[in-house]
Amino acid sequence: EWAQYDGELVTVCISDLAQDQLGDVVFVELPEVGRRVDSQEAVAVVESVKTASDIYAPVSGEIAEVNEALESKPELLNDDPYGEGWLFRLRTTEADALDDMLDASGYEASVEEES
């Protein structure tokens, strides 16, 4: 998963590597707007032709928005995981918890090490 904080909301989705490993996404189960979630709680489910995967909240907060376009076009996760393929947005008071996570270059470096 990846998360991006814009000063108000944390946008959450899966990485390009994750969508590639999942294969063609065929269904997305999104959380309810207004739901309170804890950090590392399973919040959404992404189903592909290969498997189903839980998506976890990176921080505690309240679901502020979900990407309703995924209901009719789940393939957006494959086509544009860093843009139109976002899953949900959280309103949080714990945005500083994101500081402990890898940034994009750190993530890429860790993926290269595993390869």
Side-chain angles (χ1 to χ4, degrees), residues 62-106:
E62 179 181 324
I63 303 295
E65 295 178 51
V66 296
N67 188 350
E68 294 177 0
L70 295 174
E71 293 174 1
S72 61
K73 291 184 166 188
E75 66 273 9
L76 287 173
L77 282 172
N78 295 114
D79 297 341
D80 193 10
Y82 299 119
E84 291 184 31
W86 62 276
L87 290 164
F88 58 90
R89 293 190 170 120
L90 284 168
R91 183 167 286 110
T92 185
T93 58
E94 298 179 349
D96 57 337
L98 295 169
D99 294 342
D100 295 332
M101 296 180 189
L102 294 174
D103 62 11
S105 60

Side-chain angles (χ1 to χ4, degrees), residues 8 11 17 24 27 32 34 39 42 44 49 52 61-62 64 68 79 82 84 86 90 93 103-104 111-112 114:
E8 181 181 351
T11 300
L17 175 65
D24 293 336
F27 178 77
E32 285 187 38
S39 177
V49 294
E62 179 181 324
E68 294 177 0
D79 297 341
Y82 299 119
E84 291 184 31
W86 62 276
L90 284 168
T93 58
D103 62 11
V111 168
E112 288 176 13
E114 292 177 16

Side-chain angles (χ1 to χ4, degrees), residues 3 23 25 29 40-41 54 57 59 62 69 74-75 78 83 96 103 109-110:
V25 174
E29 181 181 321
Q40 302 308 309
E41 178 181 340
D54 288 331
V59 292
E62 179 181 324
E75 66 273 9
N78 295 114
D96 57 337
D103 62 11
S110 72

